Amino acid sequence: SQQGEEDPQALSIQEGENATMNCSYKTSINNLQWYRQNSGRGLVHLILIRSNEREKHSGRLRVTLDTSKKSSSLLITASRAADTASYFCATILLSNTGKLIFGQGTTLQVKP
Amino acid sequence: EPEVTQTPSHQVTQMGQEVILRCVPISNHLYFYWYRQILGQKVEFLVSFYNNEISEKSEIFDDQFSVERPDGSNFTLKIRSTKLEDSAMYFCASSEAGRQIGWAKNIQYFGAGTRLSVL
């Protein structure tokens, strides 16, 4: 099993609906981050949540972290067509190294 | 807003050739990274670099790979003898925070990537 697994792998919703993506991990973390990647483009940092935090908000984004379940969720409220992208969770482990370990990602399609 | 820039955006090379991928990290950042993403797969860590030396490298980062910070602004990834399986998108990233203030605050900012096609 791998550090950082997202579900669902693909999600298709209508504009205005909320989108929820989940991420699970195996090893204790320093922080968990969510990134967005538009097709064939670079990774854009969305939000970081530290291991001692349970919830963070940034605009239409809400991230939760449950360290007992080793899971996180990303909620995008009132989705827009421009939110169409792949979303990745990435963790920095407690072993004090700076490398990000990425999940497979969730591909979100928001239909206008 | 400061950003990480990578050149070229697309590099086509013949198998066995050397390639150098270039990156200009954000100017006040101290930690630099290379990642790669094979088409359809997850982003994978290659190497991290701090204080002019490699901090950590993955199993992928074998003797064919090297990194360098030749001056105060550039950060390069060299692949000495490219293989077909090196075809991927290569991302450079940089971060301000690191070991000194704790990895918990480490946000890495990524460039747009270089697509390497090995023929």
Side-chain angles (χ1 to χ4, degrees):
Chain A
S1 53
Q2 298 175 41
Q3 182 82 352
E5 297 183 10
E6 285 102 327
D7 81 273
Q9 290 189 345
L11 182 60
S12 181
I13 59 174
Q14 293 294 133
E15 207 166 26
E17 292 180 340
N18 296 341
T20 300
M21 289 160 266
N22 303 297
C23 169
S24 61
Y25 58 91
K26 300 294 181 185
T27 311
S28 296
I29 60 171
N30 250 315
N31 69 46
L32 185 145
Q33 306 182 37
W34 286 89
Y35 284 82
R36 184 185 74 220
Q37 183 182 36
N38 289 80
S39 181
R41 306 297 296 272
L43 295 152
V44 176
H45 181 265
L46 296 176
I47 196 164
L48 177 153
I49 186 163
R50 286 184 262 174
S51 60
N52 61 353
E53 297 175 314
R54 293 296 166 257
E55 187 171 312
K56 280 191 85 168
H57 297 254
S58 176
R60 293 183 296 113
L61 305 180
R62 172 177 165 252
V63 169
T64 62
L65 180 65
D66 186 334
T67 52
S68 66
K69 295 180 180 177
K70 291 187 168 60
S71 68
S72 172
S73 67
L74 171 67
L75 168 68
I76 305 175
T77 60
S79 62
R80 305 166 183 167
D83 295 329
T84 294
S86 291
Y87 291 82
F88 296 90
C89 71
T91 55
I92 287 187
L93 302 182
L94 204 57
S95 53
N96 219 25
T97 168
K99 72 179 179 188
L100 283 169
I101 301 175
F102 283 83
Q104 291 276 29
T106 293
T107 301
L108 173 66
Q109 182 186 30
V110 182
K111 299 175 187 174
Chain B
E1 184 174 316
E3 60 180 17
V4 175
T5 57
Q6 290 185 243
T7 55
S9 57
H10 191 191
Q11 174 87 50
V12 182
T13 190
Q14 294 292 324
M15 191 170 57
Q17 294 296 305
E18 174 183 287
V19 294
I20 297 176
L21 309 183
R22 302 180 191 279
C23 169
V24 179
I26 294 173
S27 61
N28 64 332
H29 285 187
L30 301 175
Y31 290 81
F32 315 113
Y33 314 84
W34 284 100
Y35 293 81
R36 79 171 186 191
Q37 185 180 33
I38 295 171
L39 188 63
Q41 297 187 21
K42 64 170 66 176
V43 177
E44 301 173 288
F45 170 82
L46 291 177
V47 65
S48 59
F49 191 87
Y50 169 70
N51 203 25
N52 282 320
E53 60 183 25
I54 290 174
S55 302
E56 185 176 3
K57 59 183 180 179
S58 71
E59 292 177 354
I60 303 167
F61 195 88
D62 62 21
D63 292 343
Q64 293 300 313
F65 291 86
S66 62
V67 288
E68 194 178 32
R69 189 154 162 82
D71 52 44
S73 58
N74 291 285
F75 180 51
T76 62
L77 174 69
K78 182 193 291 186
I79 309 174
R80 288 192 186 83
S81 178
T82 50
K83 306 177 187 126
L84 295 176
E85 54 265 35
D86 293 328
S87 294
M89 183 76 99
Y90 287 80
F91 294 107
C92 173
S94 68
S95 67
E96 183 180 14
R99 192 178 301 276
Q100 316 100 301
I101 62 172
W103 293 112
K105 299 179 183 177
N106 182 280
I107 295 177
Q108 295 178 26
Y109 296 89
F110 283 74
T114 293
R115 182 169 299 283
L116 177 64
S117 299
V118 182
L119 307 179

